[in-house]
Amino acid sequence: MGYTLAVLGCGTMGVAILSGVLSSLEVRLSAPLSGKQRDTDELDAPSGISTPTGNQFLDAPEESLPSKFITTVGREETGRKLKKTFESLGRFGSDVIVRAGQGNVQTVKESDVILVCSKPNIAKSILLEEGMAEAVKGKLVISICAGVTISQLVSWVPETTQVVRAMPNTPCKIREGMTVVTPLSDALSRTLILNIFTSCGRCRFLEEKYFDACTALAGSGPAFVSLVLEAMTDGGVMMGLPRVEALELAAQTLQGTGRMALYAGLHPAQLKDSVTTPGGCTIAGLLTLEDGRVRSTMARAIQVAANHASALGQDVKK
């Protein structure tokens, strides 16, 4: 038997992560594979921790996989919608328990691993609810609340509670997410966390000092890339392409270029130079982008977002 996974404040990201987990369980049940057959796509992180990025569910030990799911939301109407969403995800989704209102403490009591997905400014109130300290003793708490630090989380739970910080992004919805997790030494907990987050994309272990930058780059990044995608699409429309086709061309181009960087190991400069011929249309367009300071503006956007991320989840001084 596996463990019980609780998702507190199951909003957009909670649904995305849990959907990935449920889908991976379906795949494991229908087509179990051995470790030799699985594509693990190992990467060496700067911290020296080797981080598997392929889906770990396929040959994971049973004790590292969830077998029961409980979610909590604030409103009854939200709970009804959430239940319908999970029911559409197959046999495992139909078994997800959805609780609306004041159900956090009871949910934690019944669970082994707690995923805190609430807004950063209410994470503290959840973990300090009456009865929560006793309920969370000896359990694993994974927080995806942007800006809420490990030191804050540790101060809100008993000493026996293991705390981990994670930063996933919205492409987890389609199992193409990027999640960064703070390192931990316990092997089973590490495997358990990898099982959760590789089910919806890639996962890296990085020290907490990098998290503000990760929040800006991977967390806010989809919005920045969407702006570029929209601009490229508009350019195609300006030159006579129907919008549907312009969007398809632009989106596939971005996706394909990203995959070349990830899987072919090509530096962005190599990718750029490979399509830039002397006197060609690409160099003409690139010079226009440089005139518009696109490169420095995008880099500064990451910088500003990272600085803003450092203030999220912190108590505002009046």
Side-chain angles (χ1 to χ4, degrees):
M1 294 294 291
Y3 64 89
T4 299
L5 175 64
V7 183
L8 306 184
C10 191
T12 300
M13 286 309 307
V15 172
I17 294 167
L18 193 47
S19 296
V21 172
L22 295 170
S23 297
S24 291
L25 286 172
E26 290 280 357
V27 171
R28 176 185 168 92
L29 187 65
S30 60
L33 300 175
S34 68
K36 292 182 179 180
Q37 293 171 297
R38 186 190 64 199
D39 176 18
T40 56
D41 188 17
E42 299 252 340
L43 293 175
D44 290 325
S47 59
I49 301 173
S50 183
T51 309
T53 54
N55 193 328
Q56 305 298 295
F57 267 67
L58 301 179
D59 61 346
E62 290 291 335
E63 64 270 20
S64 69
L65 298 175
S67 58
K68 183 178 178 181
F69 306 91
I70 310 175
T71 65
T72 66
V73 292
R75 301 168 56 196
E76 291 286 347
E77 181 182 354
T78 304
R80 288 192 292 271
K81 291 180 180 178
L82 196 60
K83 186 64 178 175
K84 290 182 179 179
T85 297
F86 289 134
E87 287 175 347
S88 68
L89 297 177
R91 72 194 89 176
F92 292 105
S94 299
D95 294 332
V96 174
I97 298 171
V98 179
R99 291 175 178 163
Q102 303 298 315
N104 290 326
V105 173
Q106 184 59 37
T107 295
V108 171
K109 284 181 180 179
E110 299 173 20
S111 306
D112 305 296
V113 177
I114 296 89
L115 187 61
V116 183
C117 300
S118 66
K119 293 181 180 179
N121 60 339
I122 63 172
K124 180 178 180 179
S125 62
I126 290 176
L127 292 175
L128 291 180
E129 281 186 37
E130 184 178 353
M132 184 64 78
E134 185 64 30
V136 82
K137 277 184 179 179
K139 297 179 179 180
L140 173 62
V141 173
I142 306 168
S143 167
I144 69 166
C145 303
V148 178
T149 65
I150 290 289
S151 61
Q152 286 177 293
L153 293 166
V154 167
S155 71
W156 300 336
V157 298
E159 290 184 4
T160 56
T161 302
Q162 188 175 23
V163 174
V164 175
R165 187 178 171 190
M167 177 50 60
N169 64 6
T170 51
C172 284
K173 289 181 179 180
I174 59 167
R175 300 173 70 181
E176 288 287 353
M178 182 71 239
T179 303
V180 179
V181 185
T182 51
L184 68 170
S185 56
D186 180 64
L188 179 59
S189 296
R190 184 176 182 275
T191 300
L192 183 152
I193 288 170
L194 282 172
N195 288 342
I196 292 174
F197 291 112
T198 59
S199 72
C200 49
R202 286 176 168 256
C203 181
R204 274 256 186 198
F205 287 98
L206 283 175
E207 299 293 338
E208 188 179 25
K209 64 183 180 181
Y210 298 114
F211 263 58
D212 290 337
C214 292
T215 300
L217 188 55
S220 301
F224 303 154
V225 174
S226 294
L227 194 64
V228 173
L229 174 59
E230 186 179 25
M232 291 176 65
T233 302
D234 285 347
V237 172
M238 175 66 186
M239 297 314 296
L241 283 173
R243 183 162 292 276
V244 172
E245 283 76 8
L247 177 59
E248 180 183 12
L249 267 64
Q252 181 59 36
T253 298
L254 287 177
Q255 176 177 258
T257 305
R259 287 181 173 273
M260 288 179 73
L262 282 174
Y263 299 111
L266 297 176
H267 189 279
Q270 289 178 284
L271 291 168
K272 173 177 66 69
D273 290 348
S274 68
V275 294
T276 306
T277 56
C281 59
T282 303
I283 189 63
L286 284 170
L287 288 176
T288 301
L289 292 173
E290 294 290 4
D291 289 341
R293 301 177 63 186
V294 170
R295 186 198 303 256
S296 62
T297 300
M298 184 63 75
R300 291 296 185 191
I302 301 297
Q303 180 186 35
V304 170
N307 290 335
H308 189 77
S310 65
L312 296 176
Q314 307 306 306
D315 293 328
V316 178
K317 294 182 180 179
K318 296 183 179 179

